[in-house]
């Protein structure tokens, strides 16, 4: 068992990381670091530095704090010689991740930038079906209710919080995994509440190979939530629904599987730790950065939780 420290005991840690670790055959949750959160029965510390100093036996760390401000924590972990797994998005900027990857190589530690939606049940099957097929068009619809999924989390609409791209980057992580050609941003429109710094909705046109794509992200979806990707090909339309857990192919009965995203992430992290290899993929984050760079920003009505 690999002794692991979990940093940032918030909603995502409680909902996903703690249960996955409780059932892991690879990791022993040895300690946590968080300003406010605790995990019952697990040693707790108020800072990453305190946890690392108190527990030299901890070999790996999983970092679940918001991306803004995460860089220094990640550096502390790497410079302490511990292997590091980063919750998505891995950092506030592309250059921060590149600096962390360089420092990990210098220190001889493992760095894993995770994209949990890539581990959804039918992602691999979708990628395999699209391989070698002509892509004609792509449509991404990622629409959810911020009040349901991020209640009171003002940081997500602050500068560096990504706004609607916090969930939207999940769709982009899937698209960059399953589509055979790279994605490049053509243009974008970001809707930013007048009292916030980050967008609450976005529309992006992009290119992949010779095809164009359209992504619509919305943080104000009520009723049924939408996490869908459709790909038109020379063999018909592929549709991934429910965040990648349902796959519809032309002329076939839809298939679905149970999502085991976080258990799969921790299994992958264990493989990387034991093989001493890093896994750093910046493509989803680069797409978001490109969209922010060229977007038409439109101010919309204020938003309050």
């Amino acid at each position: 068992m690999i002794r692991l420290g979990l940093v940032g005991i918030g909603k995502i840690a409680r909902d996903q990381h703690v249960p996955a670790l409780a059932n892991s055959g690879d990791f022993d949750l040895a300690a946590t670091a968080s300003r406010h959160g605790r995990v019952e029965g697990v040693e707790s510390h108020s800072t990453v530095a305190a946890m690392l100093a108190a527990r030299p036996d901890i070999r790996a760390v999983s970092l679940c704090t918001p991306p803004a401000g995460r860089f220094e924590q990640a550096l502390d972990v790497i410079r302490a010689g511990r292997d590091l797994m980063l919750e998505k998005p891995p950092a506030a900027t592309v250059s921060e991740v590149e600096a962390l990857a360089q420092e990990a190589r210098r220190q001889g530690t493992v760095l894993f930038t995770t994209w949990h939606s890539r581990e959804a049940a039918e992602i691999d099957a979708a990628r395999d079906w699209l391989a070698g097929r002509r892509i004609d068009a792509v449509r991404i619809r990622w629409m959810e209710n911020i009040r349901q999924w991020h209640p009171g989390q003002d940081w997500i609409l602050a500068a560096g919080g990504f706004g609607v791209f916090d969930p939207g980057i999940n769709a982009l992580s899937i698209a960059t995994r399953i589509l055979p050609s790279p994605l490049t941003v053509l243009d974008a429109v970001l809707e930013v509440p007048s009292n916030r710094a980050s967008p609450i909705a976005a529309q992006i046109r992009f290119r992949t190979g010779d095809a164009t794509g359209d992504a619509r992200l919305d943080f104000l979806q009520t009723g049924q939530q939408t996490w869908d990707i459709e790909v038109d090909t020379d063999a018909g339309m592929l549709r991934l629904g429910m965040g990648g857990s349902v796959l519809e192919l032309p002329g076939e009965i839809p298939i679905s599987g149970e999502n085991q995203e976080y258990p799969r992430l921790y299994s992958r992290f264990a493989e990387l730790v034991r093989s001493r290899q890093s896994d750093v993929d910046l493509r989803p984050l680069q797409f978001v950065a490109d969209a922010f760079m060229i977007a038409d920003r439109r101010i919309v009505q204020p938003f309050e939780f």
Side-chain angles (χ1 to χ4, degrees), residues 5-72:
L6 185 63
V7 180
I9 309 303
K11 188 175 189 303
I12 191 65
R14 294 188 183 281
D15 290 352
Q16 301 293 346
H17 290 261
V18 173
L21 287 166
N23 293 300
S24 173
D26 297 303
F27 291 100
D28 169 28
L29 179 54
T32 65
S34 181
R35 287 180 298 175
H36 307 294
R38 302 287 187 272
V39 175
E40 185 176 356
V42 178
E43 175 184 318
S44 63
H45 301 271
S46 59
T47 67
V48 177
M51 181 186 73
L52 294 173
R55 295 298 302 265
D57 59 322
I58 285 178
R59 181 176 175 186
V61 172
S62 181
L63 194 51
C64 307
T65 53
R70 184 188 290 175
F71 180 69
E72 294 298 333

Side-chain angles (χ1 to χ4, degrees), residues 55-181:
R55 295 298 302 265
D57 59 322
I58 285 178
R59 181 176 175 186
V61 172
S62 181
L63 194 51
C64 307
T65 53
R70 184 188 290 175
F71 180 69
E72 294 298 333
Q73 295 173 322
L75 272 182
D76 285 346
V77 173
I78 293 171
R79 287 173 176 169
R82 320 298 173 90
D83 300 324
L84 178 60
M85 171 171 151
L86 295 172
E87 173 63 72
K88 68 86 193 171
T93 67
V94 173
S95 59
E96 283 186 351
V97 183
E98 291 177 333
L100 292 175
Q102 181 176 343
E103 187 66 20
R105 288 192 294 270
R106 183 181 297 116
Q107 299 292 340
T109 62
V110 170
L111 180 62
F112 181 26
T113 57
T114 68
W115 302 104
H116 67 81
S117 288
R118 288 181 173 177
E119 304 300 334
E122 303 304 331
I123 300 303
D124 291 345
R127 178 197 58 200
D128 294 345
W129 191 85
L130 289 171
R133 288 188 163 87
R134 188 187 72 230
I135 308 300
D136 296 325
V138 182
R139 291 173 296 280
I140 297 173
R141 301 294 181 264
W142 224 256
M143 303 176 179
E144 63 180 54
N145 186 347
I146 185 174
R147 292 183 175 94
Q148 176 181 347
W149 299 101
H150 300 277
Q153 295 181 7
D154 289 290
W155 64 265
I156 207 167
L157 291 173
F162 285 71
V164 75
F165 283 96
D166 182 82
I169 205 169
N170 294 334
L172 301 174
S173 71
I174 293 173
T176 52
R177 180 64 165 260
I178 67 174
L179 294 171
S181 297

